[in-house]
Amino acid sequence: MGEMADPIQLKDEGNERFQAGELDKAIECYTKAIKLCKDKKVLAVIYRNRSACFLKKESYTNAASDASKAIDVDATDVKALFRRSQALEKLGKLDMAFKDVQRCSTIEPKNKTFLETLRRLGAEIQAKLKTTFSTDSRVQNMFDILLDEEMDKDKKEKAANNLVVLAREDAGAERIFQNNGVPLLLDMLETGKVEMVLAAIRTFAGMCTGHKARTMAIIHLVGIDKLCSIMAVDNEDIALATSDLFQCINDSLTGGDRRIYGKEEALVLDASKDLKSILLALLEMVASKKVSGHGRDQALNLLCRNVPRKDKKDHDHSKSLFTIDHGLKKILKVCGQIPDLPDQLPMTENTQLIASVLLDKLWDDLRCDPERDHYREVCDEYIKGKFDPNDMDRNIHAINALSGLLQGPFEVGNQLVGRQGIMEMMVALCGSEREVDQMVAVEALIHSSTKMSRASFIITNGVSLLKDIYKKTKNEKIKIRALVGLCKLGSAGGDDYSMRQFAEGSTEKLAKQCRKWLCNSAMDTKTRKWAIEGLAYLTQDADVKDDFVEDEPAMKAMFELAKSKDKTILYAVACTLVNCTNSYEKKEIMPELVQLAKFSKQHVPEQHPKDKKDFIQKRVKRMLKGGVISALTVMVKADNLLLTDQTKEMLARVFLALADDAKDRGTICAHGGGKALIPLALEGSAIGKIRASHALAKIASVSNPEIAFPGERIYEVVRPLVSLLHPERDGVQNYEALLSLTNLAGLNDKLRVKILKEKALPEIEQYMFEDHDHIRQAATECMCNLVTCKEVQDRYLEDGNDRLKLLVLMCAEDDEKLQRAAAGALAMLTAAQKKLCTKMTLVTLQWLEILQRLILHDQPQIQHRGLVIVYNILNSDDNELAKKLIESEILEILSVIGKAMDNPKRQLVIDVARTCLVKAMDLGLIKPFTTPS
């Protein structure tokens, strides 16, 4: 092809490639021919042919363009006209497509294809016009109501809400936009009435969803500053609605719009400037005093969601670098705010923790050491710049910013704490006369003592200080923070019984005080939250765990706080629950290594007597009784960035521990635990998803799935269960997942199809060859429930595999459950596909012996399945096979079973045997018994 210089030859070569389905090579030939061709008529044919290629490749803009070039040469070229019509129809330009087909039918009035297309397009245009006119009238009607100052308030609100619903349809959104809707929506925003503002914002969100051009037009008409000023209002609903609008805008500008714009996209739809302006505006909101706490939360949430890369394989992390350069100090400023001091930024209870989450996400998104060094330098410069020996407020601002870093990118905060003077400043602030200084310093000490080495340093230097603060201060807020500091230091040895930091009984005393504060409903939520923080550390001690679950009021108080609006509490509650259920990761300790460690005088971790299985089970029962499931379901629903992957993983671990006893699984389902597990199994860390999937498998294996996962949720359970079939999962997970899938596959066709779509079939087949008896039996039972699907039957009809042979041989196994499942699958397969009756006799010479064994079985269920297989063979249209069957001992067995007296317990078996004999008579293989005259 490379040597050809003749456009005719290249055109012919392109035609051959097109006929062979090699579209890319055909386009290449036609493109070369176009460059060489001087003859206008030949050129028109080549353009027309290339248009056909583009149509096949669904490149409709190029197809229409090439067809137009052919039409420019010859306006009566029906092939080019029709191809352009097809392309225009796919691009949604129905009126233009209709005109082209109309010209085609004028040139060839008897062509049925043209006439049919003309009729169809005419009907579609009429329907579209009808919709458009009806939509236009609805939009105009709503606008009239909203603009009428004397109109009833309820009617105005109803019209506003109808506008929101209409904006969610693409046709409706376009009509609102075309009917001068943006100025009206701006008027609605200016009213200042919450309902009207919300309706306008939500209408804008509908209009911006999935339409890049319209989104850019709305941004320029409304203005980014205007949208930010609305989000800054001190109203949670308005801030959230505006945040959703910003998210819709971001999604549309960064790839959420799938429309084909053609040439104009490169000319007018460059969204990079708008995206940069939005990012700068959000960073400006983060540290602005004019922004409410709710508005600040939403600005931080938007940055968390849209700045760091969603996929680490994507090399472009320029948004994170830009945010660090232009906004890192602003985020640190939020972390450093002290609500108890005057002239601080407005914040909610969640603001500072969201800021810490954002700091952590930005740090994780960096790709190399120079970038991380720059991040540290900016943080170091900010905190150093705040220290002032003459201004205590600036000092505690710096320490509080450091606390924010310790709760976010701990590595960065940890390095800064190690700098000369920082720890000394914390200790000095603890001794300050001002209560706010003590409070900030104690919190910083708590956050900085995460590493055990640092905890040891503080135990040496700071425990007496914390004890003094605890004893002397009358301020409950400081007292409880000092207590949490002591709790954290007291638990530095984890659950290792031999490494208790404090004297015997000290941790129990600290925990008792925490429980007392937790139960004090007169205290504010933020202060009670610190009591849970303390318990999160102390419950690593088994005595504290036992005391806590025995204290029902304290346990219920924690569950109620977990349901509150303050989502900063989630992590501490999750930690406490993980500790109480012992569902944290435990390394297996080999006895040989213990002996070796003792011999070499190394430390050996010791298990507390109350961390043994029977104590854990008692704690789980008490927690279930106390209402832990309802608390967990509320925590999972938290639509907030504070529900981190780590928190989700801990909640999944707790669910798995609670579902360990089959008797408790009904209680979990009754309180909505089944539904709550689904999002945990689909999103989060890899370990968290596995733990949640395993908990789902435990529930679905013994419960009625339709009750445990009502409605459409049942279909969402399939994917997590299939993930447990992976070879890397352990045997228990494989087994319980197979049991659950068996349960689901037995319900309806839609679920069976869903299981197949999730590509579970190869994995299930693989486990049918498993050495472990229970797993092999569970896989066979699952297959038995799936064989009604045509896709599964086709796999058994395929040649060159041992699938059918395996089923037949399994029918001869001693394990009755396995035998029953295999015989059931074989009975259904041979009933659905008559060819399998013949194939069954070819895969093994033992088929007749196995069949006899089945129909002689003393278990009625297995015997019934065997007799159904016999009937399927007789009914298979293979007369030779039926004859061979009846000539064997099977006829005698059928006769004995068929002549038996009616018996309710075995009636099904007797009836099938009699049906087999009747079928044999119909085939002329046996004659009816007659007495001699």
Side-chain angles (χ1 to χ4, degrees), residues 120-254:
R120 181 173 54 77
L121 285 175
E124 285 181 24
I125 288 167
Q126 287 300 316
K128 190 177 179 183
L129 286 170
K130 190 178 177 182
T131 307
T132 303
F133 286 131
S134 63
T135 306
D136 275 351
S137 59
R138 282 163 65 198
V139 171
Q140 196 56 54
N141 185 37
M142 287 175 217
F143 283 178
D144 290 343
I145 294 169
L146 290 165
L147 286 166
D148 189 346
E149 291 179 10
E150 295 177 6
M151 186 59 69
D152 180 68
K153 182 188 172 187
D154 291 341
K155 282 189 178 179
K156 276 195 168 188
E157 285 179 14
K158 190 177 179 183
N161 290 326
N162 286 342
L163 208 59
V164 175
V165 173
L166 192 63
R168 288 175 187 155
E169 306 165 14
D170 191 54
E174 190 59 29
R175 296 328 299 165
I176 295 169
F177 186 74
Q178 296 294 346
N179 281 9
N180 206 30
V182 175
L184 172 72
L185 291 168
L186 284 169
D187 289 343
M188 287 169 67
L189 292 175
E190 293 303 325
T191 62
K193 295 174 184 175
V194 174
E195 295 80 7
M196 299 288 269
V197 172
L198 283 171
I201 291 293
R202 287 166 183 163
T203 304
F204 275 131
M207 292 166 72
C208 291
T209 301
H211 199 300
K212 191 174 183 180
R214 193 162 58 223
T215 300
M216 291 180 73
I218 288 169
I219 290 171
H220 294 136
L221 287 167
V222 178
I224 293 166
D225 290 341
K226 176 70 177 174
L227 293 176
C228 288
S229 68
I230 296 162
M231 193 161 81
V233 172
D234 191 15
N235 181 296
E236 190 174 1
D237 291 335
I238 291 174
L240 185 59
T242 317
S243 172
D244 289 340
L245 169 55
F246 269 120
Q247 191 60 51
C248 290
I249 290 170
N250 181 80
D251 292 346
S252 290
L253 298 186
T254 56

Side-chain angles (χ1 to χ4, degrees), residues 272-306:
S272 56
K273 283 185 180 178
D274 289 329
L275 287 167
K276 188 177 178 182
S277 300
I278 290 169
L279 181 53
L280 281 168
L282 291 174
L283 289 171
E284 200 59 43
M285 284 185 75
V286 166
S288 170
K289 284 188 179 179
K290 294 176 183 176
V291 177
S292 69
H294 296 301
R296 201 176 319 282
D297 281 4
Q298 294 308 327
L300 289 165
N301 275 329
L302 284 164
L303 291 167
C304 282
R305 279 201 294 267
N306 299 306

Side-chain angles (χ1 to χ4, degrees), residues 526-543:
K526 196 170 183 182
T527 307
R528 291 169 73 202
K529 179 193 83 173
W530 280 98
I532 300 175
E533 290 274 356
L535 288 168
Y537 299 118
L538 292 175
T539 46
Q540 292 181 58
D541 183 292
D543 287 318

Side-chain angles (χ1 to χ4, degrees), residues 452-729:
M452 199 167 158
S453 57
R454 181 147 289 121
S456 304
F457 167 79
I458 296 170
I459 285 167
T460 312
N461 298 280
V463 169
S464 56
L465 199 64
L466 288 170
K467 282 182 178 175
D468 282 347
I469 293 171
Y470 179 69
K471 287 174 185 174
K472 290 175 184 175
T473 186
K474 291 177 182 177
N475 186 322
E476 293 283 319
K477 292 180 179 179
I478 297 172
K479 195 181 269 283
I480 199 165
R481 284 164 174 78
L483 178 72
V484 172
L486 291 168
C487 292
K488 189 169 184 180
L489 299 173
S491 64
D495 68 344
D496 185 351
Y497 185 49
S498 62
M499 284 191 67
R500 289 183 161 199
Q501 300 287 342
F502 295 155
E504 188 78 36
S506 297
T507 48
E508 286 92 320
K509 285 178 186 175
L510 291 172
K512 189 176 179 182
Q513 185 59 53
C514 282
R515 297 203 309 273
K516 183 180 171 185
W517 268 318
L518 183 57
C519 293
N520 186 354
S521 56
M523 293 177 81
D524 64 286
T525 304
K526 196 170 183 182
T527 307
R528 291 169 73 202
K529 179 193 83 173
W530 280 98
I532 300 175
E533 290 274 356
L535 288 168
Y537 299 118
L538 292 175
T539 46
Q540 292 181 58
D541 183 292
D543 287 318
V544 174
K545 297 176 200 183
D546 253 32
D547 292 345
F548 177 62
V549 295
E550 290 292 328
D551 187 345
E552 197 169 317
M555 193 164 56
K556 286 187 173 177
M558 184 178 82
F559 296 158
E560 285 307 311
L561 279 174
K563 299 174 189 176
S564 70
K565 278 191 174 183
D566 185 352
K567 300 304 174 191
T568 59
I569 213 163
L570 296 176
Y571 186 78
V573 174
C575 282
T576 307
L577 294 175
V578 164
N579 290 339
C580 289
T581 54
N582 281 50
S583 50
Y584 40 75
E585 205 73 54
K586 291 287 284 183
K587 288 183 180 177
E588 288 287 327
I589 299 173
M590 294 171 66
E592 296 86 354
L593 290 177
V594 172
Q595 293 301 319
L596 191 63
K598 284 180 179 176
F599 178 75
S600 58
K601 295 183 180 178
Q602 295 294 316
H603 170 69
V604 180
E606 291 178 26
Q607 187 186 42
H608 194 290
K610 288 184 179 177
D611 272 334
K612 290 181 179 169
K613 193 170 183 179
D614 53 340
F615 281 95
I616 297 168
Q617 286 172 340
K618 284 177 188 173
R619 288 200 291 269
V620 164
K621 301 284 181 194
R622 289 198 69 85
M623 288 166 73
L624 285 166
K625 190 181 174 186
V628 66
I629 299 298
S630 59
L632 287 169
T633 53
V634 172
M635 289 167 75
V636 169
K637 286 176 190 169
D639 183 21
N640 199 296
L641 282 164
L642 300 179
L643 188 66
T644 60
D645 286 353
Q646 195 177 357
T647 309
K648 287 179 188 173
E649 183 183 320
M650 288 195 287
L651 296 179
R653 288 177 181 278
V654 173
F655 265 120
L656 183 57
L658 296 172
D660 190 52
D661 188 344
K663 293 173 187 173
D664 296 328
R665 294 171 199 171
T667 307
I668 293 171
C669 293
H671 291 89
K675 289 185 287 184
L677 272 165
I678 295 170
L680 294 177
L682 295 172
E683 295 172 6
S685 68
I687 294 172
K689 288 192 284 189
I690 293 166
R691 296 289 180 273
S693 298
H694 193 187
L696 279 173
K698 283 183 177 293
I699 290 168
S701 62
V702 297
S703 311
N704 180 344
E706 290 174 308
I707 295 171
F709 317 105
E712 293 297 307
R713 291 184 185 277
I714 196 166
Y715 299 100
E716 296 176 47
V717 178
V718 175
R719 183 174 297 171
L721 294 178
V722 172
S723 72
L724 293 179
L725 299 182
H726 194 279
E728 287 184 10
R729 307 288 87 83

